[in-house]
Amino acid sequence: MKHRIVVLGAGYAGAFAAGNLARRLSPADTEITVVNAVPDFVERMRLHQLAAGRDLAFRKLADVFAGTGVRLRLARVTGVDPGRRTVAVTGEDGDGELAYDTLLYALGSSAAHHGVPGVAEYAFDVSGRPSALRLRERLAGLAEGGTVLVVGEGLTGIETATEVAESRPGLSVALAARGEPGAWLSPKARRHLRRAFDRLGITVHEHTRVEAVEPGRAIAADGTSVPADVTVWSAGFAVHPIAAAAGLETTGTGRIVVDRTMRSVSHPDVYAAGDCAYAIGDNGRPLPMSCATAGLTNMQATAAIVARLTGGEVPATGLKYHGNHISLGRRDAIFQVVDGDARAKSWYLGGRAAARLKAGVLTGAGWGIAHPTFGMPKRRRRLATAPDRAGVSAAA
């Protein structure tokens, strides 16, 4: 019987991992299935562009995995039973169940509301394609002079505010930040960011913690009312509670606690990658939720799975950030180099050169998704032992 590998989620982490596993493991004794709720690959790094009005093409996952041997199951994951090694799903074909020997959990994240009143009812976000399209429609319906408030000073908030301001110059765009936007950047890069805000006419409300969202406004902790025909919530991400409900060891926020190889510390046949993995980087600090983390963790997880199944030594792939890349509209960006402790170095790249670099990163990521196996190798690795349903010898 073949060793069954099930990958949950086909975002950056899941799609890359599935293709890498298919490329490196022989189909003679492995079976790879990807479960995803929607039929398209969603370029999450471009969703703020979609919301602002850019027309983006989406790749069909059926085309992405065609000819790779990876099976695609279009369904929503509703539960995981680690004891029985099964995944419960529901889709157009109704409810079902998938059995696995090795599970790679890569279901990603969504916008974190943090219990703030009114966010769920009145705010928009760009954490998924449906929500980005809802925001796009709302922005298109605003009259000249309409007000847009982006809440959150992180990368998503900055990129969303600058993209909307540049694409829809007739709107009044503001950013509400709990501290200083780009506080982690070097002084020169922070000045570049300020100039970009000024150039695009973005009003910045520093040290403003939004504690409620209402129709037409947001309420700050000091009682100040900030006008907003549209409030865009970009104040962090949250993971689905499926992993915690399944009994996997998770953090208080529901992220799966993994070891250095992205293996669950409580269930050795389960791996995690992307936003849902609580992984410690090479600097001893938890990796943040980001697309870069999706790349780092999926490479480590797939390397560990392949090595353990084929009897090789598990390598330690790099879990280190080299920089932060922030788009500031279509023609401007910042690339901030960081040191081993993820602290900003004095050097940064800004302007059109940084924008071209960011465009290259996005194009490269898209190409990688479109070619998940990077061309099948002539010889793929066989399992070290005959696959077994207990998974003890194959996954130990």
Side-chain angles (χ1 to χ4, degrees):
M1 299 290 287
K2 293 185 178 182
H3 187 94
R4 300 162 298 184
I5 301 175
V6 174
V7 180
L8 303 183
Y12 288 107
F16 275 120
N20 199 10
L21 290 169
R23 180 177 186 270
R24 299 171 66 184
L25 292 172
S26 172
D29 45 23
T30 55
E31 177 183 288
I32 303 169
T33 302
V34 175
V35 182
N36 202 62
V38 297
D40 302 327
F41 172 75
V42 177
E43 289 186 86
R44 190 165 179 175
M45 289 191 289
R46 292 185 183 271
L47 287 179
H48 62 289
Q49 301 172 350
L50 178 68
R54 290 204 213 184
D55 293 324
L56 304 179
F58 291 90
R59 295 176 175 86
K60 293 292 183 184
L61 289 171
D63 296 333
V64 167
F65 294 119
T68 65
V70 175
R71 301 182 180 187
L72 175 64
R73 177 70 178 269
L74 294 178
R76 181 171 57 87
V77 178
T78 58
V80 176
D81 187 338
R84 297 176 52 239
R85 294 185 182 178
T86 58
V87 177
V89 299
T90 184
E92 293 182 355
D93 299 330
D95 297 339
E97 193 173 77
L98 291 173
Y100 67 83
D101 299 302
T102 297
L103 180 70
L104 178 54
Y105 191 108
L107 288 178
S109 63
S110 58
H113 295 168
H114 303 299
V116 176
V119 172
E121 295 85 358
Y122 306 117
F124 297 80
D125 65 76
V126 293
S127 64
R129 186 170 67 168
S131 58
L133 288 173
R134 286 194 296 271
L135 174 57
R136 178 190 180 106
E137 182 179 5
R138 181 71 180 96
L139 292 175
L142 287 180
E144 189 84 5
T147 55
V148 179
L149 175 66
V150 179
V151 180
E153 68 273 25
L155 272 65
T156 301
I158 292 172
E159 291 193 332
T160 301
T162 53
E163 186 75 28
V164 171
E166 181 179 88
S167 299
R168 300 188 177 277
L171 302 179
S172 177
V173 179
L175 179 73
R178 289 172 296 180
E180 177 189 0
W184 67 92
L185 298 170
S186 65
K188 290 181 180 180
R190 287 200 300 273
R191 288 195 291 271
H192 185 111
L193 179 61
R194 283 290 184 182
R195 290 194 296 270
F197 286 154
D198 292 342
R199 172 175 55 82
L200 295 169
I202 298 172
T203 301
V204 179
H205 301 282
E206 289 190 353
H207 307 291
T208 301
R209 182 182 294 274
V210 173
E211 293 199 342
V213 177
E214 299 177 356
R217 66 175 185 170
I219 308 299
D222 62 0
T224 302
S225 175
V226 183
D229 294 318
V230 174
T231 297
V232 184
W233 194 258
S234 301
F237 303 104
V239 299
H240 199 284
I242 287 177
L248 297 170
E249 184 170 335
T250 61
T251 64
T253 57
R255 299 172 76 186
I256 299 173
V257 181
V258 296
D259 63 16
R260 181 58 177 75
T261 69
M262 302 305 123
R263 197 182 205 179
S264 165
V265 298
S266 61
H267 293 78
D269 48 2
V270 177
Y271 294 76
D275 287 354
C276 59
Y278 182 78
I280 304 301
D282 291 345
N283 59 7
R285 301 174 185 175
L287 293 175
M289 293 184 179
S290 71
C291 290
T293 293
L296 296 175
T297 55
N298 98 71
M299 286 189 290
Q300 177 62 82
T302 53
I305 291 171
V306 170
R308 290 190 172 115
L309 290 181
T310 59
E313 182 178 349
V314 178
T317 64
L319 297 178
K320 178 182 178 181
Y321 272 70
H322 298 283
N324 295 127
H325 214 151
I326 313 170
S327 294
L328 304 173
R330 304 188 185 192
R331 295 175 294 277
D332 193 6
I334 291 172
F335 177 68
Q336 175 67 67
V337 178
V338 300
D339 62 18
D341 291 322
R343 294 175 300 194
K345 293 184 177 182
S346 60
W347 186 86
Y348 87 100
L349 180 67
R352 289 182 180 271
R356 287 193 292 269
L357 179 59
K358 181 62 178 289
V361 170
L362 295 173
T363 300
W367 187 93
I369 291 296
H371 304 81
T373 58
F374 297 96
M376 288 291 190
K378 295 180 178 178
R379 182 171 179 267
R380 285 176 280 173
R381 300 175 69 181
R382 299 294 300 270
L383 267 61
T385 59
D388 60 86
R389 287 292 173 247
V392 175
S393 61

